[in-house]
Amino acid sequence: FENTEDFKDVISLRYRLLPYIYSEYMKAALTGDMYIKPIAFKYVDDEKARVIEDQLIVGGSIMMTPILEEGKASRSVYLPEDMTMVQYNGKEFICSRVKKGNITITVKLNEVVFFVLKDKLVPIGKNIKNTREVDFDDLILLGDGQEYKLYVDDGLTRKYTLENIRNIKR
């Protein structure tokens, strides 16, 4: 990155996704499921999904579709079902519903695009500068699902709960 502000915008998404990343990682560890998997593992009966190698399911709610070619700003994406496309530019999340099938996405250097699976939610935290600032009590939810099970622990022991967070923005 020539402009460090662009890089800062992209990294800020990682911090905002920490409630999701932590919850999904711990749920996978508890169940023995894969945390990151090819889309063919979720859409086993979809022949198109079986041949796609550069789209991944992260946790239970997100599909990542990175642009892997240097110098490219767009790519074709296959959606096995209707989803919510999320564009994050370091300041705001722009969500739009997209229909099943092939679409083309265009992504700026300081932007990240990901997809929330149908009937799923992704908890998003506030914009923070380090992991000590994560506030699991003040989250927004992206996607069209009804509720999300957030993994909550004290960070010290093996005691935890799965708390239901309901989507009240209907």
Side-chain angles (χ1 to χ4, degrees), residues 1-83:
F1 290 93
E2 294 176 12
N3 182 349
T4 56
E5 286 301 309
D6 289 346
F7 188 64
K8 187 173 105 177
D9 290 344
V10 172
I11 293 298
S12 74
L13 179 61
R14 175 191 175 269
Y15 285 104
R16 300 211 55 192
L17 279 172
L18 276 176
Y20 177 78
I21 292 168
Y22 186 65
S23 287
E24 293 301 307
Y25 176 80
M26 292 307 297
K27 286 188 260 183
L30 289 169
T31 62
D33 195 9
M34 295 174 72
Y35 173 61
I36 298 175
K37 56 191 158 215
I39 67 169
F41 283 31
K42 171 147 179 67
Y43 303 99
V44 293
D45 295 327
D46 188 321
E47 291 193 27
K48 287 184 180 179
R50 285 188 212 151
V51 298
I52 294 174
E53 298 177 352
D54 62 352
Q55 293 179 210
L56 300 168
I57 304 294
V58 179
S61 302
I62 291 179
M63 182 175 75
M64 295 298 299
T65 58
I67 295 176
L68 301 173
E69 293 181 52
E70 186 176 344
K72 294 278 187 175
S74 64
R75 68 160 289 167
S76 177
V77 174
Y78 173 65
L79 303 174
E81 63 184 4
D82 295 353
M83 295 187 188

Side-chain angles (χ1 to χ4, degrees), residues 50-125:
R50 285 188 212 151
V51 298
I52 294 174
E53 298 177 352
D54 62 352
Q55 293 179 210
L56 300 168
I57 304 294
V58 179
S61 302
I62 291 179
M63 182 175 75
M64 295 298 299
T65 58
I67 295 176
L68 301 173
E69 293 181 52
E70 186 176 344
K72 294 278 187 175
S74 64
R75 68 160 289 167
S76 177
V77 174
Y78 173 65
L79 303 174
E81 63 184 4
D82 295 353
M83 295 187 188
T84 301
M85 183 172 72
V86 179
Q87 296 170 271
Y88 178 69
N89 61 16
K91 295 162 190 59
E92 64 181 337
F93 292 90
I94 301 164
C95 299
S96 55
R97 296 206 177 163
V98 286
K99 296 285 185 191
K100 174 182 177 175
N102 292 304
I103 65 168
T104 299
I105 61 169
T106 301
V107 182
K108 297 176 185 166
L109 192 57
N110 69 334
E111 189 175 62
V112 177
V113 174
F114 62 92
F115 296 85
V116 180
L117 306 182
K118 184 177 182 179
D119 299 326
K120 300 290 183 179
L121 291 171
V122 174
I124 303 289

